Amino acid sequence: MDVHSPRTPRRRHMRRATTLIALGAVAALTLSACAAGDGGSGDDGGDKTLTVWLPGTNQTEIDLVTDTIVPAFEKESGADVEVTFVDWGDISTKLNSAFAAGTAPDVFGHGPAATADFVANDRILDLDDRVAAMSADDRDDLAAALPGGQVDGVQYLMPLSLQGYLVMYDADAFTAAGLDPDAPPATWEELKTAAEALTERDGQTITRSGFLSPSQAIARQQSFATFLFGAGGELVNEEGTEAAFASKEGVDALDFFTGLYSGDTAVSANLGEDYLNAPAAQQPLVQRSAAMTIQAAPMMQQIVDAAPDRDLRVMPALSFEGGDPAAFGGAGPGLMINADSKSPDLAWDFIEYMLSPEVSTEYTQGTGAIPVRASAADSDYAKNSPIITTFLEQSEHLKANPNVVGWVQVRDALDKELERALNGVASSQEALDAAAAEADKILGANG
């Protein structure tokens, strides 16, 4: 989910290899397989320097990548790797400037939703042949994630993790409200009923939200998508040429979303407040200012660490009555190769290394993310984490934004109209009709 607090970009330079005994053998196997399988030996005319930009400001991830993973890759490949971490809020702008100046990195990370625009502007390499050269076992192991990095069926982005948003709930609050924490809601209608029982008020003021769904800029589009998918709706048509969200399913989903914050049965306080990016100790579940919240797996892990004595649990994906369970998610951020890179083979070697089974598990465990490989379900990381186990079990229900050219503009147009509906400025139908009209112009211009 591309929702992040803007901060100052951070830059880290890599030193040549230190040691990483645990990962060294894996790296050797990965690189050997690469050399034998696809010609991607990293031999790009003798150039052994690689520049990599990764999005994010998570210090745990920065330390893991710069102090552990990259030095191990450098040792095995003999390459010099320079890694730069860039805040999510700045990554697109900085990449566009770098491409214009001819200084873009060999490898860069971004969310899947940005992939189609890079393809349309001939910024990234087609990775189909390189993926085809991977072993069949590898491709099967990555099968749940690979489609999220494709545009028109062609692989351009290699996801490093899965992402998803499920509901975390306070089991003790359920018990205190007369609800059974062992039988949590299975539909959004049941969740709203439970949320009404869990909501606490001081007069007209909600002092404990029964349920919180992200409602700040951009994140509210992803909340809407969760409800829309659960209602059986779609964001765009099958061809990706027209908006499809101004439908009955879309109106039902947005009515549900707005009803959380308004009316006599409102169950959510602080519309527009960004709780997702608050520190773990300040999360509504930890502060007991909410009984249920939509959360991503990494923050759920941090919440459990911040409140180790609490009984906090995760619900499976929900649907509206009669529908199929669904939640916003799918392929997470991944890596792409600059079409102008002078070291495309070395760039691919680095990507394959990041996706090798042990390194991939090390990376997702270190960041608290959902593993990208199905085989990771057998890892100690997954087995020891009920949160990760639940997300892996629900991965088939995670659904992403479409990979179409102009999607970021469409998303922003939709987000603006969702804000109007949530604040009572427009009805759900009016807001979605206005967003769809703008979306159709954008998609038509890019079609």
Coordinates of all heavy atoms in Angstrom, one line a residue, residues 33 70 78 91-92 107 230 251 257 300 319 362 408:
A33 N 23.2 -20.7 -10.6 CA 22.1 -21.0 -11.3 C 21.8 -20.0 -12.4 O 21.4 -20.3 -13.5 CB 20.9 -21.2 -10.4
V70 N 23.1 -6.8 1.0 CA 23.9 -6.3 -0.1 C 25.4 -6.6 0.1 O 26.0 -7.1 -0.9 CB 23.7 -4.7 -0.3 CG1 24.8 -4.1 -1.2 CG2 22.3 -4.5 -0.9
G78 N 31.3 -10.0 -6.6 CA 32.5 -9.1 -6.9 C 32.1 -7.7 -7.3 O 32.9 -7.0 -7.8
I91 N 9.8 9.2 -4.4 CA 10.4 8.3 -5.3 C 10.0 8.5 -6.8 O 10.9 8.5 -7.7 CB 10.1 6.8 -4.9 CG1 10.9 5.8 -5.8 CG2 8.6 6.5 -5.0 CD1 12.4 5.8 -5.4
S92 N 8.8 8.8 -7.1 CA 8.4 9.0 -8.5 C 9.0 10.3 -9.0 O 9.6 10.3 -10.1 CB 6.8 9.1 -8.6 OG 6.3 7.8 -8.3
V107 N 18.8 -0.4 -11.0 CA 17.7 -1.1 -10.5 C 16.9 -0.2 -9.6 O 17.5 0.6 -8.8 CB 18.1 -2.3 -9.6 CG1 16.9 -3.1 -9.0 CG2 18.9 -3.3 -10.5
G230 N -15.1 -6.6 -2.1 CA -16.0 -7.4 -1.2 C -17.4 -7.4 -1.7 O -18.2 -8.3 -1.4
V251 N -21.5 2.0 -5.4 CA -22.3 2.8 -4.6 C -22.5 2.2 -3.2 O -22.5 2.8 -2.2 CB -23.6 3.2 -5.3 CG1 -24.6 3.9 -4.3 CG2 -23.4 4.0 -6.5
F257 N -18.8 2.7 3.4 CA -17.7 3.5 3.9 C -18.1 4.8 4.6 O -17.7 5.1 5.7 CB -16.7 3.8 2.7 CG -15.3 4.2 3.1 CD1 -14.9 4.2 4.4 CD2 -14.5 4.6 2.0 CE1 -13.6 4.6 4.7 CE2 -13.2 5.0 2.3 CZ -12.7 5.0 3.6
M300 N 0.9 -4.9 12.1 CA 0.3 -5.8 13.1 C 1.4 -6.4 13.9 O 1.2 -6.6 15.2 CB -0.5 -6.9 12.3 CG -1.8 -6.5 11.7 SD -2.7 -7.9 11.0 CE -4.1 -7.1 10.3
S319 N -16.5 -10.3 3.0 CA -17.2 -9.9 1.9 C -18.5 -9.3 2.3 O -18.8 -9.3 3.5 CB -17.6 -11.2 1.0 OG -18.5 -12.0 1.8
E362 N 14.5 -14.0 4.6 CA 15.3 -13.1 5.5 C 14.8 -11.7 5.4 O 14.5 -11.0 6.4 CB 16.8 -13.1 5.2 CG 17.7 -12.2 6.0 CD 18.1 -12.9 7.3 OE1 17.7 -14.1 7.5 OE2 18.8 -12.3 8.1
V408 N -2.2 6.0 -11.7 CA -2.0 6.9 -10.6 C -2.8 8.1 -10.7 O -3.4 8.6 -9.7 CB -0.5 7.2 -10.5 CG1 -0.2 8.3 -9.4 CG2 0.4 6.0 -10.2

